[in-house]
Amino acid sequence: MIISKITTQKKSSGRYNIYTYVKDIEEYAFSVDESILVEWQLQKGMELTDCDIEHILRADNERKAWEATIQYITKTMKTEYEIKQYLHKKDYTNEAVLAAVERAKSYGYLDDKEYANAFVRSKIAAVNKGPVVIQKELEEKGVPASYIDQAISQFTLDKQVAAAVAILQKKGKQKKNESNIAFKNRLTQTLIRKGYSHDVVQEAWPRAEIEVSEEEEKVAVASQGEKAFNKWKKKYTSTQLERKVKETLYRKGFSLSLIENYLREREQDENGEKI
């Protein structure tokens, strides 16, 4: 196979189209990067074997995979797994992908251990996610378990508790007509979802020193109670209605003593109005 001509691609000045004669007819054969063109000293009239073309295309594929890798890792650090997934999606050969990964490692552009350490440090500084969620995210990025364990060790128990306290203090505002128990359960579940253990959460609550007003809870139980009475009053007898309201308020997290006080005061008010 003899090269008939070499032209520069219109959309990419760094790549060249190679044409060859096939049965005396000029046809497009393949394209290569400028570095491959120079490395193989490709020129018009040069004869290429099938083996030559195979090696040229392999070298070009590796070159393109490397360039894609550089572009991918310039914005943020990436893991080995992420780079492999990215390149495979772009249909680079497995050989090209492995070559790009090894080259990135040799240049110090790819280091899963350092990535894990930096990732954990950033999450600690952000005061948001706990170790359970951080570990899961690193696992999803393909970081080896040994690197994850070592990196997570930076997030000491004291730091976890301090972070949980900060989250509680930031989000520790009771919703209107919310019981104290429901309020505490809601924030507890928020911390659990964020990746903090039950032990850390339990230790964080007293340190957060979040004050909950008893007067506000009395207002809340009365408000929720009236809603329940209005909802069920046409469906139940007075005795059934009171039991239904009591069950509803209890499910919402109000204590039995608070519910009983509310019902007693409500009954007294009703009796006073009747008189």
Side-chain angles (χ1 to χ4, degrees), residues 32-50:
V32 294
D33 186 84
E34 184 175 19
S35 63
I36 304 300
L37 184 80
V38 173
E39 180 183 347
W40 280 78
Q41 298 180 3
L42 300 177
Q43 55 189 300
K44 182 178 179 180
M46 183 177 182
E47 184 173 359
L48 298 174
T49 65
D50 290 341

Side-chain angles (χ1 to χ4, degrees), residues 17 38-39 50 70 130-131 139 168 170 182 184 193 198 201:
N17 294 327
V38 173
E39 180 183 347
D50 290 341
I70 292 298
E139 288 173 348
L168 287 175
K170 181 179 180 180
K184 186 171 182 178
R193 287 195 300 273
H198 285 279
V201 175

Side-chain angles (χ1 to χ4, degrees), residues 3-4 6 21 23 32 50 54 75 88 97 102 119 133 139 150 175 180 194 217 243 262:
I3 297 177
S4 60
I6 300 175
Y21 287 118
K23 296 181 180 180
V32 294
D50 290 341
E54 182 182 343
K75 295 180 181 179
H88 280 307
V97 171
E102 290 306 313
F119 187 86
V133 170
E139 288 173 348
Q150 187 275 327
K175 291 182 178 180
N180 292 348
K194 286 180 176 291
E217 191 171 34
R243 185 166 60 248
Y262 156 66

